[in-house]
Amino acid sequence: MQRTLAICKPDCLARSLAGQVLSRIEAGGFRIVAMKMIRLTRSQAGHFYDVHREKPFYPELLDFMTEGPVVVAVLEKGDAVESWRALMGATNPAQAAEGTIRRDLAESMSRNVVHGSDSPENARREIAFFFSESELLAAEK
Ligand code: IDP
Ligand code: MG
């Protein structure tokens, strides 16, 4: 089993799409291991997206990610990282495959509804950024 981090971004909650996204996650065979709604500070968003610090869209990305609450979740599945990226679709919804969350629901390249870790190593880092060990234990039998 592998784990990945999913985020329902502020546009997702503002547009009342969180239920639909979570339905797709469950229908996709993922186990939701941990989940919570939080409001990111600019500092938290900045650290989370540190890899994009030099990109022209970085300030706009921090504005967006802090404009409202997000839902962060840890998803588990055999091939969780790749499988969640596949369900999300490409960053740019215009280029995302049919039936993906971003193709069906996203308004633009920046406001694209969901986040997913892009490698198992980043998944571990991102999960640890948002969830403590005891929060991750809550779903264990
Ligand atoms: P990803 O979310 O598909 O992994 P990344 O390249 O890691 O895509 O970019 C992180 C986030 O930054 C994207 O999901 C999107 O919200 C935003 N973003 C990426 N590229 C652009 C861009 O060219 N213009 C505006 N926003 C962008
Ligand atoms: Mg990324």
Side-chain angles (χ1 to χ4, degrees):
M1 279 294 162
Q2 191 180 66
R3 289 180 175 184
T4 192
L5 183 85
I7 304 179
C8 297
K9 294 182 174 182
D11 59 333
C12 181
L13 274 76
R15 294 170 61 213
S16 301
L17 296 172
Q20 193 179 147
V21 168
L22 292 171
S23 287
R24 289 182 187 225
I25 286 170
E26 291 181 334
F30 296 88
R31 186 171 81 98
I32 300 172
V33 172
M35 183 163 68
K36 59 187 169 187
M37 184 161 80
I38 54 173
R39 179 83 182 251
L40 292 179
T41 66
R42 202 171 180 85
S43 166
Q44 285 174 319
H47 278 92
F48 185 77
Y49 280 117
D50 193 53
V51 64
H52 295 309
R53 193 168 290 271
E54 305 304 324
K55 306 271 173 64
F57 60 81
Y58 184 70
E60 176 196 334
L61 177 59
L62 299 202
D63 289 343
F64 168 48
M65 290 301 292
T66 57
E67 73 180 27
V70 299
V71 168
V72 289
V74 178
L75 310 182
E76 190 173 80
K77 194 180 172 177
D79 202 1
V81 170
E82 259 198 57
S83 186
W84 172 231
R85 293 288 305 191
L87 189 57
M88 284 168 43
T91 310
N92 184 347
Q95 284 160 15
E98 262 178 57
T100 61
I101 291 169
R102 282 168 165 174
R103 172 67 170 262
D104 291 348
L105 304 176
E107 288 175 322
S108 68
M109 176 110 171
S110 51
R111 306 177 71 83
N112 57 7
V113 184
V114 282
H115 166 84
S117 311
D118 62 7
S119 69
E121 186 189 348
N122 282 335
R124 278 191 289 277
R125 185 182 61 78
E126 292 179 0
I127 289 167
F129 186 83
F130 286 115
F131 292 93
S132 69
E133 208 176 328
S134 66
E135 286 175 306
L136 294 170
L137 282 172
E140 303 305 325
K141 286 178 211 89

